[in-house]
Amino acid sequence: MRVSRMTIAALAVVAGLSLTACQNGDAATDRNDSGASSAASAPSSANGGSSSGDSAQDTAKDSNKDSSKDQGTVAGTGSNKGGKVGKCRTDELEVTAKDATIGGDKDGTVAVEFTNGGGRDCAISGYAGVDLKTNAGSLSAKRTGEQAPSVVLKDGRSVSFAITYPVNDSGGSGVRITGLVVTPPDETKSVSLDWPGGSSLPVTDGSGTPVKVGPIGSAGQGG
């Protein structure tokens, strides 16, 4: 009977040990599953970190692009506001006129020169307004119709245009010229000059002006 009791006790101990081992095994399995689960979620965290890094890099790239644009604007500005070349104003131009008639030509020529003294580059194109003062009243020159180039006139540089008129070889006094009025293109302020050409024009039948004006640049561009 004593032997049977010992056997039963021994079996109980073995069963207890087996139960403990099973519980420890299950706990280890749970820990392994938890670790595996954490490891499985790690790539998502890593991807999240990469995405944040890409976002920061994109922000830096965009910032660099914006910075480049700003530098481009500054570099293109030069001495003119906003990088644009404004038109030449009458007050910025020194206006002079001289006789440019070539011997043998049937018409006389006067060259009018604009010199940029405004301290900045400026744009000028088209036709200047030209009026001759005469003893018979004011006489407006007619445009030749030539194409007018666009000119960026550097500070200190000059550009000219030509006025042509018929030479008075009639033997009579003709129409006496007393002065010249020039208005730069796209301006309303005029400059009055002495007339450097022939002293008179032949009398016409009044059908039209005999005086013609060429576009800016038609008499060459000086230095």
Side-chain angles (χ1 to χ4, degrees):
M1 190 65 141
R2 184 179 180 181
V3 172
S4 298
R5 288 177 180 174
M6 291 182 64
T7 301
I8 292 171
L11 289 174
V13 171
V14 172
L17 291 175
S18 298
L19 179 60
T20 301
C22 288
Q23 289 175 346
N24 290 338
D26 291 341
T29 300
D30 290 341
R31 285 196 297 271
N32 289 337
D33 290 345
S34 176
S37 177
S38 299
S41 64
S44 296
S45 299
N47 289 337
S50 175
S51 177
S52 298
D54 290 343
S55 178
Q57 291 176 359
D58 291 341
T59 301
K61 289 178 181 178
D62 291 341
S63 176
N64 290 335
K65 288 180 181 178
D66 291 340
S67 176
S68 298
K69 290 179 182 178
D70 291 340
Q71 290 174 358
T73 301
V74 173
T77 298
S79 61
N80 298 285
K81 186 176 180 181
K84 297 180 180 180
V85 179
K87 68 179 182 180
C88 298
R89 300 291 187 178
T90 301
D91 290 338
E92 298 176 314
L93 299 172
E94 179 186 353
V95 187
T96 57
K98 65 181 181 181
D99 185 12
T101 303
I102 298 175
D105 285 357
K106 66 176 183 177
D107 290 331
T109 302
V110 167
V112 177
E113 184 175 78
F114 291 139
T115 301
N116 182 6
R120 67 178 180 96
D121 298 350
C122 62
I124 188 168
S125 64
Y127 286 79
V130 171
D131 295 285
L132 269 60
K133 294 180 179 179
T134 76
N135 61 341
S138 181
L139 183 65
S140 296
K142 182 180 180 181
R143 296 178 179 183
T144 61
E146 299 172 67
Q147 185 174 359
S150 295
V151 177
V152 174
L153 193 58
K154 300 285 187 180
D155 184 36
R157 302 298 294 270
S158 302
V159 66
S160 301
F161 67 90
I163 302 170
T164 57
Y165 62 95
V167 175
N168 181 21
D169 56 5
S170 64
S173 59
V175 177
R176 186 166 55 88
I177 302 173
T178 60
L180 170 65
V181 179
V182 176
T183 308
D186 301 319
E187 282 288 270
T188 57
K189 186 174 182 179
S190 302
V191 177
S192 295
L193 304 169
D194 292 332
W195 174 252
S199 60
S200 64
L201 299 173
V203 176
T204 66
D205 58 6
S207 60
T209 177
V211 182
K212 295 183 179 181
V213 56
I216 299 297
S218 61
Q221 186 167 347

